[in-house]
Amino acid sequence: GCSQDDKDGASGSKDSDEIKIGVNLELSGAVASYGTSEADGIQLAVDEINDDGGIDGKKIKLVKIDNKSDAAEATNAAIKLTTQENVVAIIGAATSGATVAQAQIANDNKTPLISPSGTSPTVTVNEKGEVNEFVFRTSFIDPFQGTVAANFAANDLGVKNVAIFSDNASDYSKGLAASFKEDFEKAGGKVVAEESYVAKDSDFRSTLTRIKSAKPEFIFIPGYYEEVGLIVKQAREMGIDVPLMGADGWDSPTLMDLAGADALNNTFTTNHYSSDDPDGAVKAFNDKFNEEYGKSPDAFNALGYDTVYLLKDAIERAGSVDSTKIKDALAETDGLDLVTGNYSVDENHHPIKSATILEYKDGEQVFNTKVNP
Amino acid sequence: MEWIQQLVNGISLGSIYALIALGYTMVYGIIKLINFAHGEIFMIGAFIGYISISGWGLGFFPALLLSMAVCALLGVLIERIAYKRLRNATRIAALITAIGVSLLIQNGVIYFRGAQPAAYPQVFENKSFNFLGAQISTQAILILSVSVVLMLVLQFIVHKTKIGKAMRAVSYDAEAAKLMGINVDNTISATFAIGSALAGAAGVIFGIYYTKIDPLMGVIPGLKAFVAAVLGGIGIIPGAVAGGLVLGVVETVVSALGFSLWRDAAAFIILILILIFKPSGIFGKNTREKV
Amino acid sequence: MLSVQDLNVYYGSIHALKGVSLEVNEGEIVTLIGANGAGKSTLLKTLSGLLKPKEGSIHYLGNPINGKPAQSIVKMGVSQVPEGRRVFADMTVEENIELGAYLRKDKAEIDKDLKKVYSIFPRLYERRKQTAGTLSGGEQQMLAMGRAIMARPKLLLLDEPSMGLAPLMVKTIFETVKDISEAGTTILLVEQNAHIALSIADRGYVIETGRVILSGTAAELQASEEVKNAYLGGH
Amino acid sequence: MSSEVLLDVQSAGIQFGGLKAVSGFNLKINKGELVGLIGPNGAGKTTSFNLLTGVYVPTEGEIFFDGKKINGLPPFKITRLGMSRTFQNIRLFDELSVLDNVKVAYHTHAKDSVMSSVFRMPSYFKSEHEMETKALEFLKIFELDKYKDETAKNLPYGKQRRLEIARALAANPHLLLLDEPAAGMNPFETKELMDLIAFIRKQFGLTILLIEHDMNLVMGICERIYVLDHGVLLAEGSPEEIRNNPKVIEAYLGEEVV
Amino acid sequence: MKKSKQFWVFAVLAIAIYAAIQFMISGGFLNNFYSNTLIFMGINIMLAVSLHLVIGITGQFSLGHAGFLAVGAYVSAILTMKLDLPFIAAILIAGIAAALAGLVVGIPSLRLRGDYLAIATLGFAEIIRIIFLNIDYVGGAAGMQVTHLTTWTYTFICLFVTILVIVNFTNSRHGRACIAVRENEIAADAMGINTTYYKVLAFAIGSFFAGVAGALYAHNFYIIQPANFGFLKSIDILIYVVLGGLGSLSGAIVATILLTIVSTFLQDFPETRMIIYSLVLIIVMLYRPKGLMGKMEFTDYLKMWMKPKGGSQHEQ
Ligand SMILES: Nc1ncnc2c1ncn2[C@@H]1O[C@H](COP(=O)(O)OP(=O)(O)OP(=O)(O)O)[C@@H](O)[C@H]1O
Ligand SMILES: Nc1ncnc2c1ncn2[C@@H]1O[C@H](COP(=O)(O)OP(=O)(O)OP(=O)(O)O)[C@@H](O)[C@H]1O
Ligand SMILES: [Mg+2]
Ligand SMILES: [Mg+2]
């Protein structure tokens, strides 16, 4: 990084009446569904802000790059955004791996990087335990939701023997499973079966058969709604009627369609927010999204949307588009109200957000409990 | 009891693979083209079924037929536009075009509707009944029977009908086939039409059985169908079904033993072992080139 | 019956036929002789519609057929036994023979012809369930002939039918050719074995590097010094 | 005919499914002989070549070459022992140049290792040079040297046949097996080929076994002839004996023969 | 000799290219983005050229190249990150490990032909990927973070060696033996060529350089994950080789450069990027079914150009 000292001087866009923000997302490839969802949320937020006159009078200009769900492409894209486009900040990527691939570049080029949904702790804290100064995230980190779910299962549901069914291809899912297990065992429970699947599977019957024969009273399924929908459906078809629980990855209107309302009875999730939360911001977002895209938003849409507002808040507080100042402002974010909850950041750049526990009842998400960190 | 259940699970998973592999092996056997776009036609078939059922309120059978018809047309169109010019090119060249077509369809669909999954509406009640302590769903039985029936129909078409013989003739030597008076272009189109219609049917049935469809849904099943087709012996129609079932049962057994993460690896190990001992698949004749 | 005028055919930049003209009358056996690479096979392929001529015309029974697709030419009664047999390797012998009758619908007659083919080539009957690819070279040649007979052609194009055949079989094949001709089929015969070809043919053409250099009745050609030296092995 | 036996086939045979393509096949060839193998189509001639060269493994009997038992050996090892062949259906390396086709056959006699060619050590240049000169020599004999840079598949048929023989020769065999070398040639070209076979035989001290249906060629140059029919030996003898053998006439030659 | 003169021309040209680019990088004329694109291109060329040896020269249809890339990437990452070995050692050992993997895969599967071989190699590559997915030591699905060590100089040297070795191999009796196997395996066998040996050898050499490329790859992109090495990656590499012209090393290089440029250029059209990319693929194949360069090499063009009436000359 020896040619980076021109960063503040020659970057033409910084003095113009535009704020250039890079978007580095999985728009094609294996996890295109996450990336495209976030892109929709981001676009909605940016349109809103620009229609409102922008940030301090400056319009946001997005520079989108598709990283094809590939870490190498994500690196390349990040380099392009920082050195060619001289963006003020980068939003992305949707997965932890593709975010980690950019972390070093963000640090080297002093460009804030915010991942809407990179939940792995390693996104903001590298393997040596050092905080990636310029890297932030909008979502929870994995352990937090795992802890919440474990406590809920042990205390509120009062179950003793549980099974865990996680997605081995996703560090999100594995992270959640690990923290759930740790805290649930700490609470005196027993994990009677630990099974895994791999994202993009559609048939889970054989593993569910195994789980069923272990006779758990509760199954923790940290995963994304695409697979979870099928798992819940197939589990219920096979006569598994114990409570099931997951995390924010479940959140999508499609889950209801995939699993069916009946199958979803007696299932719980932790989430940032509840879309039927009477809270004005959430409702406004829902309506606006519906109007724009003709469907209800899912968690990725919301996280993408929130990431833009998180950045906007930081820029406003920094009072400048200077990257380092924005970074400092981001690190000081405190109590910002977002669609996905009230957001503060800790010293590891992990968000401090409250979690909501929701229950599905006859096709409706019903608020159950709110858990503060 | 658990094992009977697992066997049932394996067979129902395998019949889905078999169903997709049938159309794959058909095109593959006749044109000798690894039609990478087969998985994408399968995906389009699933979406057409979805739109016609949830959008236009069609019933299962009309939706199935519509999807098969559209896919047949799409298959012929792809063949005419993208593969026909490459008849005399190397097979790998055609394979690359097929990959191009497959990417184009995937990303075209993503462009127009996004990459998010959609959920199939419930068309008929999925009842399960108990057999020796195992839960068997009516849909699983439906899929297995559809696969077997289609296999028989296809086998009949390819081996007993005139068009079938023309297809095989074209596959061995297109120029000599022309000298028999066979219209090679039409024969190949017919092959694509049938193969793609089968993919369309598989798409709808997959949608109903698994509920979830998305623009990338064709990738993995397409690959698995390819594996199943090779496992059974390239171009051999009963082989596709056998290959599909073997694949399904192996995957299930491995998961049932608690090695679900090694499931695909185990499937490939079985594949490789079979190929080592039977280099042209389960049903493949070990025909050596006559010297 | 067949009239070819000034035919020019190219393979990419290779000019394989350079202004070939020839005539075949109904009922005749006409032979084409010429060294390797002279363009004989190219001519037959062009007649069958497998190759498109760049210039020139082909009239068959008074109709222009150049540029028509192969299958419609076959439909008009032109059948070819291609060079190198080109049997359908993975199909059985019987299926191969049946494919010869692909465009015919008269089931009863087809069966009759099938029996006829088997009586000409009993070896094919013995092997009828075997896949064609495993036949010996000569057996494949018989199969290719049998397949062409099944089409009941009006004009039969034969490309080196004696290649690789045992002497006895060569005799059989040429007798068959004569029989087919006597039954009313016109024949255009490409042959390396100029002795035999000229002995059964009515007329012949000599082709050299894409051009007709000589033509005449079979007797005339047999007597010609040029032919003797170049194609009959000098005696 | 008292000289050393080069090839000794002792009741060899092979079965494909139910079909006995060749059985109880006995054949002995002495060093330096030129022997013909004839028989009706499908008699098993090519198949017996395939048995000799290791393409098929015999299901019965034994084959000795130069005193060594060779059944069961893979083709490339048999070739290295000094037996090479041509194919009934021409099998050239289509995309390679004429020269390279011959060089490939000389391959086994070159010494440079993979390392020496990758790092272009002197032995590489030496062996390339040797291969090139040798290959050109063979091409010259077959009058193919002016086509040396032509892609093999672009040669006319007759020249392809010659190239195949040149290539087989470049493998430096003691025993050369020719499967219908004159197929597709006109009588004039066949005559040339006969002279050529006679020439290379003398030049390289070869033993030759050839399959051919052209009786001019077979009767013209072979010293002894074996006749196969339905996979079994029908007769064996001098051209004269064979020509007059009623069994051979009935099964193969037909009445009025050359 | 003529051949060695050619070598020196090649070497001088290569060093000139290297020096020019290195100068532009250190002089700041090429920013990070361009130099990174060049490195990426170099790695891709190594992958394409090494697969070219297997498919284009030896005619063995392998769909598992990404597996060897993965072996190289993971082995090198373990060596530098966990065992603190120097990068150079990691590169070499990565190549050797991949070559060994190539032997393990090649020996059983290279007896298969055509599509059966393709699916078997694809299977092996998937098995390799799944093995890494299940080893927690290398991070499982989350992958492994790797320090950035790859530079233009490393890339260039590795690329140079790759091309040199493969060109020299091809233009030797061993390379000709491989081509003979491609052209007609039965005839090659009959000419005394140990076809299995050469198939396995070509496969091992190809795997070696894929492994070296893997080492550069791992140390260029900060993180490696099993997901980066799926069968679609193998297909990407296959596309380079076929698009350039099966059997032409120059073609593989040209196609890789072009596709990398196209792909980079298309970053500005994120929504339609893959659509355009796939259209490019289809159209190129439709109009140049033999690939961009057919079987021609740069040197063939050079010869034709220097000897205008030289007709169809074929080297290699
Ligand atoms: N597919 C092709 N591509 C390029 N050139 C070809 C092709 N087929 C034939 N030729 C060339 O065209 C010329 C005529 O070939 P053709 O096959 O018609 O000869 P022929 O008279 O049938 O010879 P033969 O007696 O060997 O069968 C030859 O020079 C041959 O090399
Ligand atoms: N791989 C095989 N599978 C089954 N049958 C075979 C195989 N190879 C040869 N045959 C059969 O063995 C018999 C002998 O074949 P072969 O090719 O040896 O005959 P040939 O004597 O060379 O005849 P030709 O003179 O016609 O070439 C034939 O009937 C053939 O069908
Ligand atoms: Mg010819
Ligand atoms: Mg033979």
Side-chain angles (χ1 to χ4, degrees):
Chain A
C2 54
S3 60
Q4 298 317 320
D5 30 9
D6 63 338
K7 186 74 196 164
D8 298 334
S11 46
S13 72
K14 307 222 159 162
D15 307 319
S16 71
D17 51 0
E18 276 181 349
I19 300 178
K20 249 191 186 181
I21 295 176
V23 175
N24 183 349
L25 282 176
E26 293 80 345
L27 300 179
S28 66
V31 289
S33 60
Y34 311 156
T36 49
S37 283
E38 284 172 13
D40 286 348
I42 291 168
Q43 192 65 53
L44 183 68
V46 169
D47 290 348
E48 251 175 43
I49 292 168
N50 284 348
D51 289 348
D52 256 17
I55 304 176
D56 296 335
K58 294 182 183 173
K59 297 251 155 103
I60 300 177
K61 179 166 181 263
L62 292 179
V63 183
K64 276 190 225 172
I65 297 189
D66 166 23
N67 62 36
K68 303 209 282 194
S69 310
D70 179 77
E73 293 271 352
T75 308
N76 200 4
I79 294 176
K80 176 162 174 147
L81 289 172
T82 49
T83 60
Q84 288 287 103
E85 302 286 349
N86 291 319
V87 296
V88 168
I90 299 175
I91 299 179
T95 51
S96 300
T99 312
V100 171
Q102 310 170 58
Q104 195 61 40
I105 296 159
N107 286 341
D108 289 350
N109 292 294
K110 304 196 188 319
T111 307
L113 170 71
I114 313 175
S115 168
S117 53
T119 52
S120 158
T122 57
V123 166
T124 51
V125 182
N126 72 16
E127 284 185 334
K128 298 190 193 82
E130 301 155 355
V131 176
N132 285 321
E133 240 191 304
F134 281 82
V135 186
F136 299 86
R137 73 174 102 227
T138 316
S139 60
F140 296 118
I141 56 166
D142 304 329
F144 175 58
Q145 289 191 86
T147 309
V148 170
N151 292 337
F152 179 75
N155 305 333
D156 297 38
L157 297 177
V159 292
K160 287 271 168 303
N161 296 322
V162 303
I164 301 175
F165 193 24
S166 62
D167 175 359
N168 190 51
S170 145
D171 33 3
Y172 160 75
S173 188
K174 285 171 77 176
L176 274 170
S179 66
F180 175 87
K181 185 178 178 199
E182 194 186 323
D183 289 320
F184 187 71
E185 284 175 346
K186 233 186 267 165
K190 191 168 164 229
V191 177
V192 293
E194 260 184 287
E195 298 287 339
S196 305
Y197 61 93
V198 181
K200 305 290 160 196
D201 282 354
S202 347
D203 204 310
F204 306 91
R205 291 180 172 88
S206 57
T207 317
L208 286 171
T209 306
R210 260 180 82 82
I211 293 176
K212 187 181 174 191
S213 59
K215 303 206 169 52
E217 302 160 71
F218 167 96
I219 307 175
F220 185 55
I221 312 172
Y224 292 115
Y225 67 91
E226 298 190 21
E227 286 83 22
V228 168
L230 304 189
I231 293 173
V232 170
K233 175 169 184 270
Q234 290 170 16
R236 295 301 192 220
E237 273 170 17
M238 296 177 56
I240 299 176
D241 45 20
V242 300
L244 310 175
M245 184 165 188
D248 57 340
W250 283 37
D251 183 34
S252 163
T254 316
L255 179 71
M256 200 73 73
D257 301 333
L258 287 173
D262 282 350
L264 276 172
N265 279 336
N266 201 17
T267 63
F268 304 86
T269 66
T270 51
N271 205 346
H272 319 260
Y273 75 114
S274 155
S275 54
D276 66 358
D277 198 325
D279 178 1
V282 176
K283 175 139 180 28
F285 167 68
N286 269 344
D287 292 346
K288 227 176 262 157
F289 193 90
N290 243 314
E291 189 183 316
E292 189 69 29
Y293 297 102
K295 57 189 171 195
S296 302
D298 62 17
F300 292 109
N301 296 135
L303 287 167
Y305 180 87
D306 276 355
T307 306
V308 177
Y309 277 100
L310 176 60
L311 188 58
K312 171 174 182 270
D313 169 69
I315 296 173
E316 281 168 353
R317 279 187 290 113
S320 141
V321 290
D322 179 86
S323 301
T324 312
K325 287 192 186 134
I326 295 175
K327 180 243 341 179
D328 293 338
L330 275 169
E332 285 157 11
T333 306
D334 190 18
L336 176 65
D337 266 320
L338 295 172
V339 171
T340 60
N342 185 281
Y343 181 105
S344 306
V345 79
D346 74 5
E347 71 282 3
N348 286 326
H349 294 190
H350 297 158
I352 306 165
K353 288 163 95 171
S354 55
T356 319
I357 291 178
L358 304 171
E359 181 180 357
Y360 287 90
K361 274 200 178 129
D362 298 323
E364 297 290 334
Q365 263 188 344
V366 185
F367 177 84
N368 185 301
T369 339
K370 191 155 189 150
V371 184
N372 287 316
Chain B
M1 178 209 104
E2 190 191 328
W3 283 100
I4 299 174
Q5 179 70 58
Q6 292 293 20
L7 197 66
V8 169
N9 293 340
I11 291 173
S12 35
L13 175 62
S15 14
I16 285 276
Y17 291 152
L19 193 57
I20 308 169
L22 274 175
Y24 211 109
T25 216
M26 158 108 191
V27 170
Y28 193 11
I30 306 292
I31 327 291
K32 297 275 143 50
L33 166 74
I34 303 176
N35 185 14
F36 250 88
H38 192 79
E40 274 56 51
I41 297 178
F42 159 81
M43 177 267 288
I44 296 281
F47 272 100
I48 297 201
Y50 171 72
I51 294 167
S52 37
I53 297 173
S54 35
W56 307 331
L58 293 186
F60 169 68
F61 277 105
L64 184 74
L65 290 180
L66 181 70
S67 157
M68 288 173 77
V70 175
C71 286
L73 214 66
L74 178 68
V76 172
L77 206 69
I78 293 173
E79 194 276 325
R80 287 279 152 125
I81 295 172
Y83 303 154
K84 192 175 167 199
R85 286 179 65 104
L86 293 171
R87 292 267 171 79
N88 299 320
T90 57
R91 293 187 43 223
I92 295 191
L95 171 69
I96 299 295
T97 316
I99 291 170
V101 170
S102 142
L103 287 176
L104 182 66
I105 298 178
Q106 265 171 33
N107 290 290
V109 172
I110 291 181
Y111 182 75
F112 286 112
R113 73 164 289 286
Q116 302 75 19
Y120 244 69
Q122 179 112 12
V123 218
F124 26 69
E125 201 59 40
N126 184 21
K127 287 199 206 66
S128 303
F129 60 88
N130 203 302
F131 173 78
L132 296 175
Q135 296 286 322
I136 303 182
S137 83
T138 42
Q139 283 178 2
I141 292 184
L142 172 83
I143 294 169
L144 183 62
S145 7
V146 169
S147 305
V148 172
V149 169
L150 284 179
M151 172 188 89
L152 295 175
V153 170
L154 264 191
Q155 184 74 349
F156 178 80
I157 291 178
V158 171
H159 286 273
K160 294 287 182 262
T161 65
K162 211 161 166 175
I163 181 81
K165 284 186 180 155
M167 285 172 181
R168 284 158 63 211
V170 168
S171 89
Y172 305 134
D173 188 336
E175 193 164 87
K178 280 187 195 164
L179 292 176
M180 303 296 108
I182 294 169
N183 186 327
V184 171
D185 288 339
N186 290 352
T187 307
I188 292 181
S189 293
T191 309
F192 267 87
I194 296 175
S196 306
L198 285 176
V204 176
I205 292 175
F206 184 95
I208 289 171
Y209 189 54
Y210 285 117
T211 334
K212 186 190 79 172
I213 62 172
D214 69 86
L216 299 175
M217 68 185 279
V219 180
I220 301 292
L223 181 66
K224 294 267 167 79
F226 180 26
V227 171
V230 173
L231 195 60
I234 294 174
I236 300 168
I237 289 160
V241 172
L245 290 177
V246 169
L247 203 62
V249 171
V250 168
E251 290 187 359
T252 307
V253 167
V254 173
S255 304
L257 290 172
F259 299 102
S260 58
L261 300 177
W262 295 93
R263 192 194 59 195
D264 287 357
F268 279 114
I269 288 170
I270 297 285
L271 168 85
I272 289 163
L273 285 179
I274 288 180
L275 289 184
I276 284 173
F277 293 105
K278 204 108 188 5
S280 36
I282 300 174
F283 285 128
K285 277 172 294 184
N286 263 340
T287 39
R288 293 185 57 174
E289 206 179 337
K290 184 173 183 295
V291 183
Chain C
M1 180 173 212
L2 180 75
S3 150
V4 176
Q5 241 93 54
D6 206 22
L7 207 59
N8 282 289
V9 179
Y10 292 77
Y11 290 106
S13 62
I14 299 170
H15 196 171
L17 291 183
K18 304 164 184 160
V20 169
S21 302
L22 56 80
E23 307 265 322
V24 179
N25 301 317
E26 188 120 27
E28 273 188 321
I29 301 183
V30 173
T31 183
L32 286 174
I33 52 183
N36 281 304
K40 307 178 295 290
S41 304
T42 305
L43 177 60
L44 292 203
K45 281 188 191 168
T46 314
L47 295 180
S48 290
L50 295 179
L51 294 173
K52 302 266 169 281
K54 193 157 186 194
E55 283 156 29
S57 69
I58 307 169
H59 286 261
Y60 168 71
L61 295 172
N63 306 312
I65 58 167
N66 38 323
K68 281 209 167 149
Q71 73 269 11
S72 25
I73 294 178
V74 178
K75 212 173 226 156
M76 295 166 80
V78 181
S79 191
Q80 185 182 156
V81 177
E83 184 172 28
R85 303 135 191 167
R86 311 289 284 269
V87 296
F88 301 114
D90 282 0
M91 296 173 91
T92 65
V93 168
E94 188 146 302
E95 282 175 328
N96 265 274
I97 299 177
E98 280 166 3
L99 271 173
Y102 183 74
L103 291 175
R104 289 171 58 185
K105 305 230 151 45
D106 44 344
K107 190 116 190 22
E109 289 293 299
I110 292 178
D111 280 346
K112 233 163 77 193
D113 284 353
L114 185 68
K115 293 219 172 66
K116 194 172 98 191
V117 169
Y118 282 146
S119 74
I120 303 172
F121 306 112
R123 175 54 69 93
L124 294 184
Y125 184 72
E126 283 169 31
R127 298 263 192 264
R128 66 188 184 282
K129 295 278 173 254
Q130 189 173 328
T131 51
T134 59
L135 291 180
S136 83
E139 290 164 346
Q140 291 186 6
Q141 187 69 55
M142 298 176 211
L143 181 56
M145 282 283 279
R147 204 172 55 177
I149 292 172
M150 291 301 287
R152 282 216 181 158
K154 296 196 193 99
L155 173 63
L156 181 59
L157 311 174
L158 297 172
D159 201 346
E160 303 199 24
S162 78
M163 176 141 94
L165 290 195
L168 200 58
M169 195 44 67
V170 174
K171 246 178 64 191
T172 316
I173 294 273
F174 279 96
E175 269 159 20
T176 316
V177 170
K178 249 167 44 195
D179 288 347
I180 297 170
S181 152
E182 269 153 28
T185 303
T186 310
I187 288 172
L188 181 58
L189 168 68
V190 167
E191 200 31 82
Q192 289 291 354
N193 196 334
H195 282 298
I196 308 194
L198 288 173
S199 75
I200 65 162
D202 299 305
R203 293 190 302 114
Y205 290 85
V206 178
I207 300 196
E208 214 165 77
T209 57
R211 288 198 176 82
V212 173
I213 56 155
L214 209 63
S215 66
T217 64
E220 279 166 14
L221 292 179
Q222 265 170 324
S224 141
E225 281 303 314
E226 233 179 311
V227 173
K228 266 191 196 161
N229 287 337
Y231 304 107
L232 299 179
H235 34 220
Chain D
M1 275 212 251
S2 58
S3 56
E4 257 180 281
V5 177
L6 181 64
L7 182 70
D8 188 0
V9 182
Q10 295 177 356
S11 63
I14 187 168
Q15 201 163 340
F16 297 115
L19 177 80
K20 282 200 159 162
V22 174
S23 70
F25 184 48
N26 286 306
L27 175 122
K28 250 197 188 74
I29 302 180
N30 296 321
K31 278 209 172 120
E33 270 193 306
L34 202 173
V35 178
L37 180 59
I38 63 174
N41 296 117
K45 303 180 296 295
T46 302
T47 305
S48 60
F49 266 27
N50 288 336
L51 293 177
L52 296 181
T53 53
V55 173
Y56 296 152
V57 177
T59 47
E60 58 174 81
E62 297 193 318
I63 302 170
F64 293 92
F65 178 65
D66 226 357
K68 266 196 214 76
K69 188 171 148 192
I70 59 168
N71 38 332
L73 288 186
F76 76 91
K77 286 200 174 142
I78 294 181
T79 306
R80 288 176 183 187
L81 290 175
M83 188 192 304
S84 76
R85 72 178 290 184
T86 65
F87 294 90
Q88 181 168 5
N89 303 313
I90 298 181
R91 287 179 177 275
L92 289 170
F93 305 123
D94 282 346
E95 297 286 343
L96 282 179
S97 72
V98 168
L99 183 66
D100 282 349
N101 261 276
V102 181
K103 276 190 186 173
V104 167
Y106 196 72
H107 175 270
T108 42
H109 303 285
K111 298 276 170 321
D112 65 315
S113 64
V114 174
M115 281 298 154
S116 82
S117 29
V118 165
F119 296 108
R120 295 280 134 115
M121 298 196 274
S123 70
Y124 162 80
F125 292 103
K126 211 175 115 226
S127 115
E128 275 293 304
H129 183 72
E130 178 189 331
M131 268 188 274
E132 178 124 2
T133 24
K134 280 283 182 190
L136 277 173
E137 256 171 52
F138 290 114
L139 287 180
K140 220 168 251 147
I141 294 171
F142 289 84
E143 290 169 12
L144 288 168
D145 46 331
K146 55 179 171 295
Y147 301 101
K148 72 179 171 66
D149 293 324
E150 192 65 57
T151 310
K153 67 160 187 223
N154 289 343
L155 288 185
Y157 189 82
K159 301 233 156 52
Q160 294 196 7
R161 279 239 171 263
R162 280 164 168 260
L163 176 56
E164 238 205 351
I165 304 175
R167 190 181 65 178
L169 211 51
N172 217 352
H174 307 302
L175 175 64
L176 181 62
L177 307 178
L178 302 174
D179 197 346
E180 299 196 23
M185 293 193 176
N186 65 37
F188 178 78
E189 292 161 334
T190 307
K191 186 88 194 21
E192 282 186 337
L193 181 71
M194 283 165 70
D195 297 341
L196 198 60
I197 292 175
F199 174 78
I200 55 170
R201 178 191 178 199
K202 231 176 63 209
Q203 181 84 1
F204 298 96
L206 287 176
T207 309
I208 296 176
L209 175 62
L210 65 81
I211 297 175
E212 188 48 73
H213 289 301
D214 187 323
M215 285 307 112
N216 284 323
L217 188 147
V218 174
M219 299 296 173
I221 59 173
C222 293
E223 288 149 3
R224 270 188 321 124
I225 296 172
Y226 284 82
V227 188
L228 267 180
D229 187 23
H230 284 98
V232 296
L233 213 51
L234 188 70
E236 187 247 306
S238 69
E240 205 52 42
E241 287 162 11
I242 295 297
R243 202 195 311 258
N244 297 314
N245 184 324
K247 278 197 290 186
V248 178
I249 293 177
E250 199 210 314
Y252 182 64
L253 295 172
E255 293 305 331
E256 4 96 59
V257 207
V258 241
Chain E
M1 295 200 72
K2 207 180 92 202
K3 285 260 165 66
S4 55
K5 206 159 90 194
Q6 232 177 45
F7 166 77
W8 287 115
V9 173
F10 172 65
V12 168
L13 208 72
I15 291 169
I17 293 176
Y18 165 74
I21 291 175
Q22 184 58 44
F23 172 75
M24 288 201 285
I25 292 174
S26 22
F29 302 107
L30 273 187
N31 68 21
N32 232 333
F33 173 67
Y34 290 111
S35 63
N36 189 63
T37 304
L38 278 173
I39 291 173
F40 195 31
M41 209 181 260
I43 295 173
N44 283 338
I45 293 176
M46 289 175 63
L47 289 170
V49 167
S50 55
L51 185 63
H52 150 87
L53 178 64
V54 176
I55 297 193
I57 297 298
T58 320
Q60 303 303 308
F61 187 7
S62 163
L63 268 184
H65 219 52
F68 306 115
L69 176 70
V71 171
Y74 272 99
V75 168
S76 68
I78 293 169
L79 292 174
T80 57
M81 301 302 295
K82 312 242 176 192
L83 307 178
D84 285 324
L85 257 61
F87 189 35
I88 300 193
I91 292 177
L92 267 178
I93 298 173
I96 292 167
L100 288 178
L103 289 180
V104 171
V105 174
I107 289 171
S109 54
L110 283 166
R111 356 179 293 129
L112 302 171
R113 277 163 221 282
D115 301 334
Y116 293 102
L117 174 62
I119 202 80
T121 46
L122 185 151
F124 268 115
E126 282 294 293
I127 292 171
I128 292 174
R129 189 179 66 81
I130 293 167
I131 291 175
F132 287 124
L133 187 65
N134 283 295
I135 300 180
D136 283 334
Y137 181 67
V138 294
M144 209 176 150
Q145 294 190 36
V146 188
T147 321
H148 181 99
L149 294 172
T150 305
T151 60
W152 164 243
T153 307
Y154 276 119
T155 311
F156 185 84
I157 293 171
C158 292
L159 179 60
F160 180 79
V161 172
T162 307
I163 294 179
L164 188 73
V165 167
I166 288 177
V167 166
N168 282 354
F169 179 82
T170 307
N171 292 318
S172 73
R173 75 185 179 102
H174 307 287
R176 267 197 305 275
C178 290
I179 298 176
V181 171
R182 173 190 81 193
E183 290 296 312
N184 198 322
E185 198 173 332
I186 291 171
D189 203 355
M191 288 304 116
I193 290 168
N194 186 344
T195 53
T196 313
Y197 170 78
Y198 277 109
K199 285 197 269 184
V200 172
L201 179 65
F203 206 71
I205 297 178
S207 308
F208 176 86
F209 288 111
V212 171
L216 298 176
Y217 182 97
H219 292 83
N220 194 47
F221 295 115
Y222 302 94
I223 184 168
I224 48 174
Q225 293 176 293
N228 302 348
F229 307 103
F231 81 101
L232 293 173
K233 184 77 193 172
S234 297
I235 284 178
D236 281 344
I237 307 169
L238 178 72
I239 288 174
Y240 298 140
V241 178
V242 181
L243 205 73
L246 211 53
S248 164
L249 182 133
S250 323
I253 298 177
V254 169
T256 311
I257 294 176
L258 277 181
L259 282 183
T260 311
I261 291 175
V262 167
S263 192
T264 310
F265 172 75
L266 286 178
Q267 282 184 340
D268 294 339
F269 306 91
E271 279 90 6
T272 48
R273 174 183 190 188
M274 288 308 291
I275 295 182
I276 300 173
Y277 182 82
S278 52
L279 283 174
V280 169
L281 268 192
I282 297 171
I283 290 168
V284 171
M285 286 324 287
L286 286 184
Y287 289 92
R288 306 244 17 181
K290 294 211 168 97
L292 292 170
M293 302 203 30
K295 278 203 157 48
M296 301 283 273
E297 299 289 353
F298 292 137
T299 46
D300 296 332
Y301 286 113
L302 215 64
K303 261 181 233 151
M304 263 163 54
W305 178 64
M306 292 194 298
K307 228 190 329 179
K309 54 185 186 349
S312 60
Q313 288 252 337
H314 280 267
E315 258 271 59
Q316 61 159 262

